[in-house]
Amino acid sequence: MLETTPMTDTTIGKLPVLVTGGAGYIGSHAVLALKDAGWKVAVVDNLVTGFRFAVPDGVAFYQGDIEDGELIARIIAEQGICAIMHFAGSVVVPESVENPLKYYHNNTAKSRALIEAAVKGGVKHFIFSSTAATYGIPEVSPVEEDMPKVPINPYGMSKLMTEIMLKDVAAAHPMNYCALRYFNVAGADPDARTGQSTAGATHLIKVAVEAALGKRESVGVFGTDFATPDGTGVRDYIHVSDLADAHVLALEALIAQPQRSLTMNAGYGRGFSVLDVLDAVDRATNRTIRRVMQPRRAGDPDSLISNNARIKATVPWVPRYADLDVIVSHALAWERRLTEIRGEG
């Protein structure tokens, strides 16, 4: 399936970008950020976890799999692709433990196929959606990029393996790359054009706003004995639109210095506890979410916060939505919009 719109004057001078997984949560926000900034964008997504409605009008859309080398070659040729932003993959940590082969297939083997197609197609720049899970349980928080990478689950390892592939490929071929290691991505497009739409999502803020709107009976709090101020785990929550902006800036940095590759944390450098998040949702809705205290999950660190000095020193990234209440308000607005889209309630 292909829908195209002719290039407009606003896209002249911008390299055509292919966004894999562009119908998914983070990918769809990257598409909006690119489109809003005047880049020509194409999307490939198999729609297993993505949604066609998340891809805006005026963006070439291909339904297919990144493992399909012939399809990727055709997209690169038809769209004149010069850069790839790679978001396609599987992201549920507990599932990766239960089904590791799925993750090594979807996140590692398919990434290898995509990278090979990119090299063959002459793509010069590659931006990869990586994760703080590559660090495992860091001994120190905030976490710096050069700290040991010791993933404790197949999800983190599958992403780290792709980072290693990109490093080796960039050394052997005329391609540079940026790996952005996300912390806890949350929120939604401020204009409610897209957001987290996956059924059964495990992201805390998504789960909490669903509970606040009556879509879940309660929210589980996994562990109340962490070495944190209130005993619950502390995480660095980054607004998805700020993260999307970081991708656009990273692409500009790769183009400006084609001999340089980058690995950067993507977070705000401060954390909020599980109870902080639930309190913020309560404030936004003027109701109290039912909280069910449960045992810790294996491998959950007390605190996981980014050191974001590198990204701020490397690109002119100035987050616009670095406020927990703003993140929650945007997530709530999208959840209500999603109810309308699906005809629920």
Side-chain angles (χ1 to χ4, degrees):
M1 179 165 57
L2 168 63
E3 300 159 20
T4 60
T5 299
M7 187 184 297
T8 64
D9 289 341
T10 60
T11 59
I12 293 174
K14 302 281 190 178
L15 299 179
V17 182
L18 174 62
V19 179
T20 75
Y25 176 39
I26 304 173
S28 65
H29 286 84
V31 169
L32 289 175
L34 287 162
K35 191 169 183 287
D36 290 348
W39 297 78
K40 182 186 177 188
V41 189
V43 167
V44 61
D45 198 299
N46 61 15
L47 299 184
V48 171
T49 56
F51 298 87
R52 182 63 186 87
F53 65 73
V55 182
D57 294 338
V59 172
F61 176 74
Y62 296 79
Q63 185 172 344
D65 201 282
I66 61 169
E67 198 173 28
D68 184 344
E70 291 185 2
L71 172 63
I72 301 301
R74 179 162 66 87
I75 298 171
I76 291 170
E78 289 179 357
Q79 301 295 326
I81 298 298
C82 294
I84 291 175
M85 286 191 183
H86 177 30
F87 299 92
S90 299
V91 299
V92 181
V93 170
E95 183 190 43
S96 79
V97 176
E98 297 165 4
N99 191 355
L101 290 176
K102 174 180 177 179
Y103 278 69
Y104 289 123
H105 183 202
N106 286 352
N107 292 356
T108 310
K110 288 188 179 184
S111 292
R112 183 212 167 277
L114 176 67
I115 295 166
E116 181 177 29
V119 169
K120 289 180 177 177
V123 174
K124 302 298 184 186
H125 314 290
F126 197 105
I127 296 181
F128 176 51
S129 166
S130 193
T131 172
T134 56
Y135 297 112
I137 302 179
E139 294 182 1
V140 178
S141 181
V143 184
E144 297 180 8
E145 290 86 351
D146 294 331
M147 287 181 178
K149 267 64 71 180
V150 283
I152 61 167
N153 52 62
Y155 168 66
M157 183 60 77
S158 70
K159 290 285 193 173
L160 181 60
M161 291 169 73
T162 302
E163 285 193 26
I164 293 167
M165 279 194 290
L166 284 168
K167 180 179 179 181
D168 292 342
V169 168
H173 299 280
M175 173 194 288
N176 66 344
Y177 72 93
C178 176
L180 287 169
R181 294 183 183 142
Y182 310 164
F183 282 67
N184 286 54
V185 187
D189 175 61
D191 298 322
R193 294 174 292 177
T194 188
Q196 171 59 281
S197 305
T198 308
T202 58
H203 301 71
L204 175 61
I205 290 178
K206 168 73 170 177
V207 169
V209 298
E210 286 180 345
L213 298 179
K215 297 183 181 183
R216 294 177 186 249
E217 292 184 359
S218 62
V219 175
V221 177
F222 297 95
T224 57
D225 59 348
F226 290 101
T228 61
D230 65 18
T232 63
V234 170
R235 298 293 182 267
D236 188 336
Y237 295 92
I238 177 173
H239 194 292
V240 64
S241 294
D242 283 337
L243 179 60
D245 290 342
H247 284 75
V248 178
L249 293 169
L251 175 57
E252 292 173 351
L254 294 184
I255 293 168
Q257 297 189 46
Q259 303 304 315
R260 178 180 68 163
S261 291
L262 302 167
T263 299
M264 301 185 293
N265 287 336
Y268 290 148
R270 71 165 186 265
F272 293 96
S273 73
V274 173
L275 296 184
D276 288 335
V277 169
L278 298 182
D279 288 346
V281 177
D282 287 350
R283 286 195 299 274
T285 58
N286 198 30
R287 58 169 293 182
T288 302
I289 299 168
R290 180 169 170 259
R291 308 168 186 200
V292 178
M293 303 304 170
Q294 296 179 269
R296 285 194 193 203
R297 294 173 296 197
D300 274 355
D302 295 328
S303 176
L304 189 61
I305 299 172
S306 70
N307 181 322
N308 62 9
R310 180 181 292 182
I311 191 171
K312 288 194 167 184
T314 305
V315 298
W317 184 55
V318 180
R320 295 177 289 166
Y321 308 111
D323 181 279
L324 181 60
D325 290 315
V326 170
I327 292 171
V328 166
S329 70
H330 291 166
L332 274 165
W334 172 251
E335 199 61 40
R336 293 187 174 110
R337 172 80 180 118
L338 190 59
T339 299
E340 296 173 6
I341 292 171
R342 292 175 170 166
E344 301 169 349

PDB file of all heavy atoms in Angstrom, residues 163-173 177:
ATOM      1  N   GLU A 163      23.478  -1.516  18.259  1.00  0.00           N
ATOM      2  CA  GLU A 163      24.458  -0.431  18.379  1.00  0.00           C
ATOM      3  C   GLU A 163      25.840  -0.894  17.906  1.00  0.00           C
ATOM      4  O   GLU A 163      26.553  -0.166  17.197  1.00  0.00           O
ATOM      5  CB  GLU A 163      24.557   0.051  19.827  1.00  0.00           C
ATOM      6  CG  GLU A 163      23.414   0.909  20.307  1.00  0.00           C
ATOM      7  CD  GLU A 163      23.753   1.586  21.630  1.00  0.00           C
ATOM      8  OE1 GLU A 163      24.955   1.797  21.903  1.00  0.00           O
ATOM      9  OE2 GLU A 163      22.822   1.913  22.394  1.00  0.00           O
ATOM     10  N   ILE A 164      26.222  -2.090  18.305  1.00  0.00           N
ATOM     11  CA  ILE A 164      27.538  -2.622  17.924  1.00  0.00           C
ATOM     12  C   ILE A 164      27.617  -2.818  16.418  1.00  0.00           C
ATOM     13  O   ILE A 164      28.632  -2.489  15.782  1.00  0.00           O
ATOM     14  CB  ILE A 164      27.806  -3.942  18.675  1.00  0.00           C
ATOM     15  CG1 ILE A 164      27.955  -3.674  20.181  1.00  0.00           C
ATOM     16  CG2 ILE A 164      29.050  -4.639  18.137  1.00  0.00           C
ATOM     17  CD1 ILE A 164      27.921  -4.916  21.043  1.00  0.00           C
ATOM     18  N   MET A 165      26.541  -3.333  15.825  1.00  0.00           N
ATOM     19  CA  MET A 165      26.506  -3.487  14.368  1.00  0.00           C
ATOM     20  C   MET A 165      26.698  -2.144  13.677  1.00  0.00           C
ATOM     21  O   MET A 165      27.468  -2.030  12.718  1.00  0.00           O
ATOM     22  CB  MET A 165      25.173  -4.107  13.922  1.00  0.00           C
ATOM     23  CG  MET A 165      25.097  -5.596  14.066  1.00  0.00           C
ATOM     24  SD  MET A 165      23.676  -6.275  13.163  1.00  0.00           S
ATOM     25  CE  MET A 165      22.307  -5.689  14.155  1.00  0.00           C
ATOM     26  N   LEU A 166      26.002  -1.132  14.151  1.00  0.00           N
ATOM     27  CA  LEU A 166      26.108   0.180  13.520  1.00  0.00           C
ATOM     28  C   LEU A 166      27.530   0.737  13.622  1.00  0.00           C
ATOM     29  O   LEU A 166      28.048   1.319  12.664  1.00  0.00           O
ATOM     30  CB  LEU A 166      25.114   1.154  14.161  1.00  0.00           C
ATOM     31  CG  LEU A 166      23.656   0.970  13.737  1.00  0.00           C
ATOM     32  CD1 LEU A 166      22.727   1.772  14.647  1.00  0.00           C
ATOM     33  CD2 LEU A 166      23.458   1.386  12.277  1.00  0.00           C
ATOM     34  N   LYS A 167      28.159   0.540  14.774  1.00  0.00           N
ATOM     35  CA  LYS A 167      29.539   1.012  14.938  1.00  0.00           C
ATOM     36  C   LYS A 167      30.466   0.338  13.926  1.00  0.00           C
ATOM     37  O   LYS A 167      31.287   1.000  13.274  1.00  0.00           O
ATOM     38  CB  LYS A 167      30.014   0.735  16.363  1.00  0.00           C
ATOM     39  CG  LYS A 167      31.439   1.201  16.635  1.00  0.00           C
ATOM     40  CD  LYS A 167      31.847   0.911  18.075  1.00  0.00           C
ATOM     41  CE  LYS A 167      33.283   1.354  18.341  1.00  0.00           C
ATOM     42  NZ  LYS A 167      33.696   1.057  19.739  1.00  0.00           N
ATOM     43  N   ASP A 168      30.321  -0.962  13.764  1.00  0.00           N
ATOM     44  CA  ASP A 168      31.174  -1.701  12.830  1.00  0.00           C
ATOM     45  C   ASP A 168      30.878  -1.322  11.382  1.00  0.00           C
ATOM     46  O   ASP A 168      31.800  -1.192  10.563  1.00  0.00           O
ATOM     47  CB  ASP A 168      30.987  -3.205  13.036  1.00  0.00           C
ATOM     48  CG  ASP A 168      31.538  -3.689  14.373  1.00  0.00           C
ATOM     49  OD1 ASP A 168      32.357  -2.963  14.978  1.00  0.00           O
ATOM     50  OD2 ASP A 168      31.139  -4.789  14.819  1.00  0.00           O
ATOM     51  N   VAL A 169      29.608  -1.160  11.062  1.00  0.00           N
ATOM     52  CA  VAL A 169      29.235  -0.796   9.684  1.00  0.00           C
ATOM     53  C   VAL A 169      29.735   0.604   9.344  1.00  0.00           C
ATOM     54  O   VAL A 169      30.240   0.849   8.250  1.00  0.00           O
ATOM     55  CB  VAL A 169      27.712  -0.918   9.502  1.00  0.00           C
ATOM     56  CG1 VAL A 169      27.270  -0.280   8.192  1.00  0.00           C
ATOM     57  CG2 VAL A 169      27.286  -2.380   9.546  1.00  0.00           C
ATOM     58  N   ALA A 170      29.606   1.528  10.299  1.00  0.00           N
ATOM     59  CA  ALA A 170      30.068   2.893  10.044  1.00  0.00           C
ATOM     60  C   ALA A 170      31.578   2.954   9.832  1.00  0.00           C
ATOM     61  O   ALA A 170      32.082   3.825   9.106  1.00  0.00           O
ATOM     62  CB  ALA A 170      29.668   3.803  11.203  1.00  0.00           C
ATOM     63  N   ALA A 171      32.306   2.016  10.443  1.00  0.00           N
ATOM     64  CA  ALA A 171      33.761   1.969  10.252  1.00  0.00           C
ATOM     65  C   ALA A 171      34.139   1.417   8.878  1.00  0.00           C
ATOM     66  O   ALA A 171      35.230   1.695   8.365  1.00  0.00           O
ATOM     67  CB  ALA A 171      34.402   1.121  11.344  1.00  0.00           C
ATOM     68  N   ALA A 172      33.227   0.641   8.287  1.00  0.00           N
ATOM     69  CA  ALA A 172      33.537  -0.036   7.021  1.00  0.00           C
ATOM     70  C   ALA A 172      32.886   0.597   5.805  1.00  0.00           C
ATOM     71  O   ALA A 172      33.289   0.314   4.676  1.00  0.00           O
ATOM     72  CB  ALA A 172      33.107  -1.503   7.121  1.00  0.00           C
ATOM     73  N   HIS A 173      31.884   1.429   6.008  1.00  0.00           N
ATOM     74  CA  HIS A 173      31.116   1.986   4.895  1.00  0.00           C
ATOM     75  C   HIS A 173      30.899   3.484   5.091  1.00  0.00           C
ATOM     76  O   HIS A 173      30.998   3.988   6.213  1.00  0.00           O
ATOM     77  CB  HIS A 173      29.752   1.277   4.785  1.00  0.00           C
ATOM     78  CG  HIS A 173      29.861  -0.186   4.515  1.00  0.00           C
ATOM     79  ND1 HIS A 173      30.101  -0.704   3.262  1.00  0.00           N
ATOM     80  CD2 HIS A 173      29.774  -1.254   5.358  1.00  0.00           C
ATOM     81  CE1 HIS A 173      30.144  -2.021   3.326  1.00  0.00           C
ATOM     82  NE2 HIS A 173      29.956  -2.385   4.583  1.00  0.00           N
ATOM     83  N   TYR A 177      26.155   7.347  12.088  1.00  0.00           N
ATOM     84  CA  TYR A 177      24.935   6.987  12.814  1.00  0.00           C
ATOM     85  C   TYR A 177      24.879   7.725  14.143  1.00  0.00           C
ATOM     86  O   TYR A 177      25.885   8.213  14.662  1.00  0.00           O
ATOM     87  CB  TYR A 177      24.875   5.474  13.082  1.00  0.00           C
ATOM     88  CG  TYR A 177      25.845   4.999  14.138  1.00  0.00           C
ATOM     89  CD1 TYR A 177      25.458   4.889  15.477  1.00  0.00           C
ATOM     90  CD2 TYR A 177      27.177   4.688  13.815  1.00  0.00           C
ATOM     91  CE1 TYR A 177      26.356   4.488  16.460  1.00  0.00           C
ATOM     92  CE2 TYR A 177      28.068   4.287  14.793  1.00  0.00           C
ATOM     93  CZ  TYR A 177      27.649   4.180  16.109  1.00  0.00           C
ATOM     94  OH  TYR A 177      28.542   3.798  17.074  1.00  0.00           O
TER      95      TYR A 177
END
